[in-house]
Amino acid sequence: MEFLQSPAGIAVVAVALLAVVGAIIALARRKPDWEDALGGEEPGTLTLPAAPPRAPKAAPSKVPVAPAADGGKVFGRLVNGLARTKAQMVNRVDDLFRGRKKIDEDLWGSLEELLVTSDVGIRTTGVLLESMRARAAREELADPQRLRDLLADTIRESLEGCAGTLAAQPSDGGPIVIVVVGVNGAGKTTTIGKLAARYKAEGRKVIIAAGDTFRAAAIEQVAVWGKRAGAEVVRHEPGSDPAAVAHDAVTAAVARGADVVICDTAGRLHSKTDLMQELSKVHRVVGKVREGAPHEVLLVLDSTNGQNAIAQAREFASAVGVTGIALTKLDGTAKGGVIVAIAHELDIPVKLIGIGEAVEDLRDFDPDAFVQALFGGDDSALGRGGNSADAAARDDELGIAAEELADTSARYQG
């Protein structure tokens, strides 16, 4: 004690305190790898784990996701998945035309009202009817029943312009990076899980980034889907920076020779501005780790939201450059007509549609099959396809406990 109270002792203590403070400041200024990937006032160098050079991969042969190999059964699922939209729009069209003797303004007006109330939208309905009127006059149609086929053809032509396919595997042999965006509740995490299962069925190595770190239950739900699909999941603690999760997932994919990285993202923050800034940050980070990434920015839209889905698409597209849309829950809504409005009002291709609960019910969007299912499908065709009981049986085979799913689902809904 006497030494510490002496001038020499006080000097020693002062030097020690200065050293501790200096160390704390140095640690505070140190930036993680993912921040270095973004650059900043103090540039850092991002060093990826060494990986042996790989020759470009040939596209893997596609192994159909069982039991979807039967084309008839696939179409039957589509028919039944669109049953509510068909009842809301096409069956009402049939009722409208039934018993009509001529094509007049009253018929056109009723058809306009029907399409608008089927969530096709006012502007899109106007464009469809203008095209139909011109063709009806050109072909001198007089039978109202002919308008049904004309409506189907006009919708098909509109949809053909908006259909697209997911980005192909890059020619350099590295992983394709898909960033999935959308508001909470749209079916984003489920779409990610089903997409991962599809790629795994094609023989590809898949890594999922559990990037919705603002909700612990969302991270757990991604983990469950990863187990179902047989995909590796990169996850951080709840509250972590989503960009850091995306960074680590893409870095791991490059190092381990994975074929596909699917990045989940937040669907809600304190404000719309916060959310869009966070998504833009993830976009920049993955682009620094993997040149050309993300190769796909997939926006998941809930078809039950009808016209509100279009407003959501515009917001996300302005922030992160959406390259494709996955339209979910078509089996649970009568508002499937919104897909026609999307085709007309947005310059974004629809690439995937969700028509049921089973993994194989995430489908590539095929305009011809879609219109055929609406206007020509048999409502009794071949059953619904996969449901929750089928999913439970598969989970049991994979060792995913029902209690685990129930707990995750309860907190996810909260």
Side-chain angles (χ1 to χ4, degrees), residues 161-212:
C162 87
T165 56
L166 292 171
Q169 197 75 30
S171 59
D172 64 3
I176 181 173
V177 179
I178 302 172
V179 173
V180 182
V181 301
V183 300
N184 290 348
K188 181 160 51 74
T189 309
T190 302
T191 299
I192 288 170
K194 292 180 178 180
L195 190 57
R198 168 190 288 203
Y199 281 123
K200 285 293 292 183
E202 293 174 356
R204 307 195 198 196
K205 184 176 181 179
V206 181
I207 292 179
I208 304 175
D212 189 356

Side-chain angles (χ1 to χ4, degrees), residues 226-238:
K227 191 171 183 179
R228 283 174 175 160
E232 180 181 349
V233 175
V234 173
R235 55 190 292 181
H236 287 191
E237 292 298 317

Side-chain angles (χ1 to χ4, degrees), residues 8 13 49-50 67 91 120 134 178 192 196 205 230 233 239 262 279 282-283 292 315 318 323 387:
V13 172
N91 290 355
V120 173
I178 302 172
I192 288 170
K205 184 176 181 179
V233 175
I262 307 175
L279 296 177
V282 171
H283 195 287
E315 292 289 347
S318 66
T323 60
N387 55 29

Side-chain angles (χ1 to χ4, degrees), residues 4-239:
L4 293 178
Q5 292 174 353
S6 68
I10 292 173
V12 170
V13 172
V15 170
L17 288 174
L18 286 174
V20 171
V21 171
I24 292 173
I25 292 174
L27 286 173
R29 289 181 175 177
R30 186 177 179 183
K31 297 187 294 183
D33 285 348
W34 66 267
E35 287 189 355
D36 283 335
L38 279 177
E41 295 181 0
E42 298 182 12
T45 301
L46 175 65
T47 303
L48 296 179
R54 295 186 295 163
K57 297 179 181 179
S61 58
K62 292 195 174 184
V63 181
V65 179
D70 183 345
K73 190 171 184 180
V74 171
F75 182 70
R77 284 202 180 108
L78 184 59
V79 169
N80 287 278
L82 296 175
R84 295 190 183 187
T85 295
K86 181 173 182 177
Q88 173 69 8
M89 184 168 71
V90 179
N91 290 355
R92 290 168 63 208
V93 166
D94 291 340
D95 292 340
L96 174 63
F97 292 158
R98 188 174 294 114
R100 295 269 184 168
K101 302 298 183 183
K102 61 179 181 178
I103 300 174
D104 54 19
E105 287 302 314
D106 178 64
L107 180 59
W108 287 115
S110 297
L111 181 57
E112 179 180 23
E113 179 182 353
L114 188 155
L115 292 174
V116 170
T117 56
S118 298
D119 268 273
V120 173
I122 296 174
R123 282 182 292 183
T124 305
T125 294
V127 172
L128 290 176
L129 291 183
E130 182 180 357
S131 176
M132 289 179 64
R133 280 175 178 266
R135 183 172 166 185
R138 187 168 59 251
E139 297 181 8
E140 299 182 348
L141 299 183
D143 182 2
Q145 295 297 324
R146 293 286 306 280
L147 289 186
R148 185 186 193 277
D149 294 336
L150 184 56
L151 175 62
D153 290 343
T154 305
I155 290 177
R156 181 184 291 105
E157 291 170 2
S158 178
L159 294 178
E160 284 173 349
C162 87
T165 56
L166 292 171
Q169 197 75 30
S171 59
D172 64 3
I176 181 173
V177 179
I178 302 172
V179 173
V180 182
V181 301
V183 300
N184 290 348
K188 181 160 51 74
T189 309
T190 302
T191 299
I192 288 170
K194 292 180 178 180
L195 190 57
R198 168 190 288 203
Y199 281 123
K200 285 293 292 183
E202 293 174 356
R204 307 195 198 196
K205 184 176 181 179
V206 181
I207 292 179
I208 304 175
D212 189 356
T213 60
F214 300 102
R215 296 177 301 144
I219 298 174
E220 293 169 10
Q221 194 189 38
V222 168
V224 169
W225 269 108
K227 191 171 183 179
R228 283 174 175 160
E232 180 181 349
V233 175
V234 173
R235 55 190 292 181
H236 287 191
E237 292 298 317

Side-chain angles (χ1 to χ4, degrees), residues 313-329:
R314 289 196 176 101
E315 292 289 347
F316 280 97
S318 66
V320 291
V322 173
T323 60
I325 290 172
L327 193 62
T328 64
K329 307 181 186 180

